[in-house]
Amino acid sequence: MAEAAIKKIILAVDDMAVSLTTIRTILQHEYDVRLAKSATLALEMLKQFKVDLILLDIEMPEISGLEFVGLLKKSPELKSIPVIFVTSHANPQFIDQAMAFEAEGYIVKPFIPDALIKRVKSVLGEEGGE
């Protein structure tokens, strides 16, 4: 009997439940999608299991997505986790500011499901990516 392939773990961090549900619905067939409604919760989750990719909103209470990435980059254990921002900010100056945090991508909400899948596959080095 063949073993089932182990799914890569994606952590989606967003304070909007509808965004988290949408991301999970799109990616759950190929990935183990974990959800966090705040950056604080996400930081706690990162202590419990290894994550292959983080999909991160920018505008969140307590700790913003940009502050969260700053904390990740300071941690030797977490700094290599790729991050894709998934946010409603489409302003080019804002995108430039966010990308200065060394994110692997920036997707504007509302997004096209296929675009999200392609970007995730690309960042994870899988076939079918951009």
Side-chain angles (χ1 to χ4, degrees), residues 7 23-33 117:
K7 291 183 176 182
I23 289 169
R24 180 172 51 202
T25 300
I26 293 167
L27 298 175
Q28 68 185 352
H29 301 293
E30 293 187 56
Y31 303 99
D32 179 353
V33 181
I117 292 167

Side-chain angles (χ1 to χ4, degrees), residues 38-98:
S38 71
T40 304
L41 178 58
L43 288 169
E44 287 303 311
M45 293 170 79
L46 288 171
K47 293 176 186 174
Q48 298 171 22
F49 53 86
K50 183 185 177 302
V51 171
D52 296 292
L53 173 66
I54 298 172
L55 300 176
L56 181 64
D57 188 22
I58 293 177
E59 289 294 323
M60 294 186 291
E62 298 174 30
I63 301 172
S64 76
L66 298 178
E67 291 171 313
F68 179 83
V69 171
L71 293 171
L72 283 184
K73 298 300 180 187
K74 290 179 184 172
S75 167
E77 301 85 31
L78 305 175
K79 68 181 180 183
S80 63
I81 301 172
V83 174
I84 299 173
F85 287 114
V86 182
T87 184
S88 57
H89 287 285
N91 177 305
Q93 288 86 5
F94 197 88
I95 294 170
D96 287 346
Q97 178 189 3

